[in-house]
């Protein structure tokens, strides 16, 4: 169940699409893998839970695999970029990079993707 009034599920998914485009723009390649599972996210915050099944591609960049995911906190949803090795991808055991708010300005969203890919580090202001 989607519980946010600040953004619709469709608007949030569009931001996740944008993050994937940034990964490609920065040099990531869509990985030609058939995952043996569906990407299923359940985020819990207090007594609330948000569940989502998403079909999102995996990307390869500098020998690691990445996938766009979400973390739903009580106030608003955040974007998380998962990363790991091929084996971690195939076994659904990837780690989440530091989640970031979906509603950042364009340049800050792009900086978050750079940070998650290990391209550069920067100081967060939120």
């Amino acid at each position: 169940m989607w519980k946010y009034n600040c953004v619709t599920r469709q608007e949030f998914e569009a931001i996740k699409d944008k993050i994937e485009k940034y990964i490609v723009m920065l040099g990531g390649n869509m990985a030609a893998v058939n995952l043996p599972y569906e990407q299923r996210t359940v985020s819990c915050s207090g007594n609330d839970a948000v569940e989502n099944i998403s079909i999102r591609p995996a990307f390869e960049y500098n020998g690691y695999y990445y996938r766009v995911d979400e973390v739903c906190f009580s106030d608003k949803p955040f974007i998380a970029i998962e990363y790991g090795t091929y084996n971690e991808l195939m076994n659904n055991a990837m780690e989440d990079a530091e989640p970031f708010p979906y509603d950042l300005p364009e340049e800050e969203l792009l900086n978050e993707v750079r940070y998650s890919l290990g391209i550069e580090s920067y100081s967060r202001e939120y």
Side-chain angles (χ1 to χ4, degrees), residues 12 16 19-20 39-43 52 54 56 67-71 78-82 96:
F12 186 66
K16 289 164 63 176
I19 298 303
E20 291 176 348
Q39 184 178 1
R40 181 171 178 238
T41 302
V42 179
S43 295
N52 187 47
S54 183
R56 293 254 162 217
R67 203 168 47 182
V68 177
D69 199 5
E70 64 190 51
V71 179
F78 277 50
I79 303 287
I81 297 178
E82 297 179 317
D96 284 347

Side-chain angles (χ1 to χ4, degrees), residues 4-121:
Y4 302 103
N5 294 323
C6 57
V7 64
T8 66
R9 170 53 84 180
Q10 292 77 19
E11 292 166 335
F12 186 66
E13 291 295 324
I15 299 294
K16 289 164 63 176
D17 294 342
K18 184 184 299 186
I19 298 303
E20 291 176 348
K21 288 178 183 172
Y22 288 160
I23 292 171
V24 171
M25 182 183 84
L26 293 168
N29 296 304
M30 195 174 298
V33 295
N34 290 321
L35 298 176
Y37 57 86
E38 287 184 320
Q39 184 178 1
R40 181 171 178 238
T41 302
V42 179
S43 295
C44 298
S45 182
N47 292 329
D48 295 328
V50 176
E51 183 176 349
N52 187 47
I53 295 174
S54 183
I55 299 175
R56 293 254 162 217
F59 299 89
E60 189 275 328
Y61 179 79
N62 279 349
Y64 286 93
Y65 291 84
Y66 297 86
R67 203 168 47 182
V68 177
D69 199 5
E70 64 190 51
V71 179
C72 296
F73 294 113
S74 58
D75 291 342
K76 64 182 174 182
F78 277 50
I79 303 287
I81 297 178
E82 297 179 317
Y83 66 94
T85 64
Y86 178 79
N87 285 337
E88 290 167 333
L89 170 67
M90 296 308 286
N91 292 306
N92 199 22
M94 296 171 73
E95 296 289 326
D96 284 347
E98 190 78 24
F100 53 91
Y102 77 93
D103 56 354
L104 294 174
E106 295 289 322
E107 188 61 30
E108 288 184 45
L109 285 174
L110 183 56
N111 284 338
E112 290 290 349
V113 176
R114 285 183 181 120
Y115 178 78
S116 296
L117 295 177
I119 294 173
E120 65 184 45
S121 61

